[in-house]
Amino acid sequence: QLQLVESGGGLVQPGGSLRLSCAASGFTLDYYSIGWFRQAPGKEREGVGCISASGSSINYADSAKDRFTISRDNAKNTVYLQMNSLKPEDTAVYYCAAARSSIPWICSLKANFASWGQGTQVTVSS
C-alpha cells in the first residue's frame, strides 16, 4: 500500500524556518515526482512546488520562490521542503503527493498526483 507521511510542521514566528519531511512507505520514490501543496482555512489548495523523480528539475510557485527549497533523498525514500523567511500567509496544512513519472527529469504541479499524505499543520504567528 502506497503511503506518504508528512512531518515537521508546527508553530513558528514570522521570519523563522521549518523543514517538512515527506516519507514514503510501501513503494520507492525513485519513479515518482513529488509535489508539495498547501491549503489555508477557507482557501483552495494550492501548489507550492515539485521535484522530478531524478531530482534534476524543481519548480516552485511564485509564492515559494526564493524562500522555499525542495530536495529529495531517494536512499531515505524521503522528500523535504525547507521553508525560510516564513510569513503569516504561509499558515496552512501542507501536503505532499506522488505522481508516477514516465519522464524522470520533469515535474509539474498539474501532474496526476494519485497518492497523498495526511498533511502537517504549519502556523506562522507571533
Side-chain angles (χ1 to χ4, degrees):
Q1 181 179 358
L2 309 184
Q3 187 175 14
L4 296 171
V5 178
E6 302 95 336
S7 62
L11 173 64
V12 63
Q13 292 187 342
S17 299
L18 280 175
R19 188 176 80 157
L20 306 184
S21 298
C22 171
S25 61
F27 68 109
T28 175
L29 284 178
D30 292 12
Y31 306 106
Y32 291 81
S33 63
I34 301 298
W36 283 97
F37 299 83
R38 67 185 184 185
Q39 187 165 21
K43 294 187 177 182
E44 292 187 355
R45 186 177 64 201
E46 65 173 350
V48 173
C50 64
I51 185 167
S52 64
S54 68
S56 60
S57 177
I58 305 172
N59 296 313
Y60 297 98
D62 288 343
S63 60
K65 286 179 181 177
D66 301 324
R67 297 189 301 127
F68 293 2
T69 302
I70 299 173
S71 61
R72 65 191 297 156
D73 185 340
N74 284 358
K76 294 183 178 180
N77 226 24
T78 301
V79 175
Y80 304 97
L81 176 64
Q82 176 69 43
M83 304 186 294
N84 298 327
S85 302
L86 284 162
K87 306 174 182 179
E89 50 264 44
D90 294 317
T91 295
V93 178
Y94 283 71
Y95 302 88
C96 64
R100 180 82 183 194
S101 178
S102 59
I103 304 175
W105 54 87
I106 291 178
C107 79
S108 170
L109 287 171
K110 297 181 179 179
N112 179 23
F113 291 97
S115 299
W116 291 78
Q118 84 291 347
T120 185
Q121 176 71 46
V122 171
T123 302
V124 184
S125 175
S126 56

